[in-house]
Amino acid sequence: EEADTNGAKLLLLCVPLLWATYAPSIRFVFTASDTEVGSATLSLVRMFLAQLPFLPALASTIERSKSDCGETKGDADRAIRAALELGLWNAAATGFQAWGLEHTSSTHSGFMMGTVNILVPTLAVLQGDKVSRQTWAACLVTFIGVLVIGLDSVVGGGLNENVSPDALRGDVSAFASALCYAGLTIRASNYAKEFSPEELMGTKTLVMLAFMLCWYCQTTLSGSEDVSFAFLT
């Protein structure tokens, strides 16, 4: 059991290492592309690519939901409902973050996304979990950093000349994203004890893909931003 716990902690340690590359990578696409890139278009492409590895798991879940066995069908249906909820949390978080990165720097977004470290234990307490003093102390340090970077957006548009004039809106969007990711983390921690990760991910990613497709279609109809896929070249 101790080995399983250590393995789980090691895997979770990889998560922030991977997330650290996310905001700079997305921001790089916005700033370095020779053609204009819309956040809805980029999010749609990203989620389409993310869905591909989970197609077998998705097919398996759908097949189980059509089973004649009541128990098998019931388990699959519950997993689908759980994945739908997680997909909505994740889709909203991804959308807010992608839009925010259009209007602020990856550094600002990264710090604002750091509020998730405060929001997760706060939501955990609200659902009845216990949080250690060491965790709250770490949350305080994170909160101070978020305040500093947020003040940087308000006063003079920040020290970085590349920060857009509406950086504050980008920071608010990043905070909304962090709130959604915190909700996702809390709910996923509950569902992960009951369902397999590939089962949840297969359906959750499909929900996100559908959400991004709707966002892309709405953007296309409104003409609010570029919807070309030319940046893929």
Side-chain angles (χ1 to χ4, degrees):
E1 183 177 351
E2 183 178 355
D4 291 341
T5 301
N6 291 334
K9 290 180 178 179
L10 181 60
L11 287 175
L12 289 174
L13 182 61
C14 296
V15 175
L17 295 178
L18 291 171
W19 267 113
T21 67
Y22 174 74
S25 299
I26 295 294
R27 184 63 182 173
F28 175 79
V29 174
F30 284 129
T31 58
S33 177
D34 293 332
T35 59
E36 186 176 354
V37 183
S39 55
T41 308
L42 179 60
S43 297
L44 176 62
V45 172
R46 190 175 74 81
M47 290 317 306
F48 173 78
L49 295 175
Q51 179 69 68
L52 296 180
F54 296 106
L55 288 177
L58 176 62
S60 175
T61 301
I62 294 176
E63 184 178 354
R64 290 175 59 236
S65 69
K66 297 179 179 179
S67 173
D68 295 331
C69 177
E71 184 177 356
T72 299
K73 177 178 173 56
D75 290 342
D77 290 344
R78 287 196 301 274
I80 291 174
R81 286 194 294 269
L84 286 173
E85 179 187 345
L86 296 181
L88 292 175
W89 280 111
N90 208 343
T94 302
F96 277 125
Q97 188 175 24
W99 189 89
L101 282 166
E102 275 192 283
H103 299 84
T104 190
S105 68
S106 57
T107 303
H108 275 239
S109 177
F111 271 96
M112 294 307 297
M113 290 300 296
T115 57
V116 72
N117 298 316
I118 306 169
L119 295 170
V120 168
T122 301
L123 294 178
V125 169
L126 292 178
Q127 76 167 8
D129 296 340
K130 293 183 179 180
V131 178
S132 67
R133 293 181 179 179
Q134 292 88 339
T135 300
W136 285 122
C139 289
L140 177 61
V141 175
T142 301
F143 182 65
I144 293 174
V146 170
L147 287 180
V148 171
I149 202 68
L151 183 63
D152 183 42
S153 294
V154 176
V155 181
L159 299 177
N160 186 344
E161 61 181 7
N162 293 324
V163 177
S164 60
D166 56 349
L168 181 58
R169 289 195 298 169
D171 287 352
V172 172
S173 182
F175 177 78
S177 176
L179 182 60
C180 292
Y181 275 124
L184 170 66
T185 302
I186 293 296
R187 298 303 292 162
S189 67
N190 296 331
Y191 290 136
K193 298 178 178 66
E194 184 177 356
F195 307 107
S196 65
E198 62 272 12
E199 188 172 41
L200 289 176
M201 285 299 299
T203 308
K204 179 180 76 70
T205 310
L206 179 62
V207 173
M208 294 177 64
L209 179 59
F211 179 91
M212 298 309 168
L213 180 60
C214 292
W215 183 18
Y216 176 81
C217 292
Q218 185 276 331
T219 302
T220 302
L221 294 175
S222 65
S224 57
E225 67 179 33
D226 189 272
V227 294
S228 170
F229 294 95
F231 71 93
L232 290 175
T233 60

